[in-house]
Amino acid sequence: MRIGNVYRPMVFGCRADERLPEVARQMVEKKVGALAVLDGDEVAGIITERDLVAAMATFTDPSSVNAATCAKTEVKTAGLDEDSREVARRMLDAGIRHLPVEQDGRMVGMVSMRDLLALETWAS
């Protein structure tokens, strides 16, 4: 099945300069495990729950740290026409649970391991 059939077609993001408590609040509010980190209209990175936990363990005052400091800037992406099994394999190999989905160079949503697992469960 194609990623275009399983991804979440919403871009949830935070500003690169937002402090971590606000980033965490947005994740809870939106019920997501990752946010795109936006620098203007551009995706500058991705920040995940794991990144927030790492910041808690690393910084003396994580509430003073911004999203850009903790975000992964080397962001892997998936295309709408890619095969879901191939994308799942890439995610497993990279050890990531969230992958931005792009179309024509623009982020159009996110796919998670949970989305892909649900797909496999429904297909069985």
Side-chain angles (χ1 to χ4, degrees), residues 11-108:
V11 177
F12 290 127
C14 64
R15 292 186 329 274
D17 64 349
E18 281 188 80
R19 302 286 179 215
L20 296 186
E22 176 60 18
V23 172
R25 186 193 65 71
Q26 287 185 55
M27 285 185 190
V28 169
E29 183 180 282
K30 293 173 172 84
K31 298 178 180 159
V32 296
L35 295 173
V37 177
L38 305 171
D39 187 7
D41 290 338
E42 298 293 317
V43 176
I46 187 169
I47 189 164
T48 68
E49 296 162 318
R50 287 180 180 176
D51 298 324
L52 293 177
V53 170
M56 295 293 292
T58 302
F59 297 101
T60 305
D61 182 13
S63 66
S64 67
V65 178
N66 64 29
T69 301
C70 300
K72 304 289 186 281
T73 55
E74 197 172 305
V75 180
K76 298 180 185 312
T77 63
L80 289 173
D81 290 329
E82 285 192 71
D83 180 73
S84 59
R85 288 180 185 252
E86 292 298 319
V87 171
R89 173 59 51 203
R90 244 186 16 244
M91 291 170 76
L92 283 170
D93 290 346
I96 57 177
R97 296 181 297 164
H98 302 88
L99 200 61
V101 177
E102 287 187 331
Q103 180 178 30
D104 301 324
R106 289 187 50 240
M107 185 175 169
V108 294

Side-chain angles (χ1 to χ4, degrees), residues 1-13:
M1 184 169 287
R2 301 288 171 219
I3 289 298
N5 296 328
V6 293
Y7 83 111
R8 295 172 187 242
M10 291 179 241
V11 177
F12 290 127

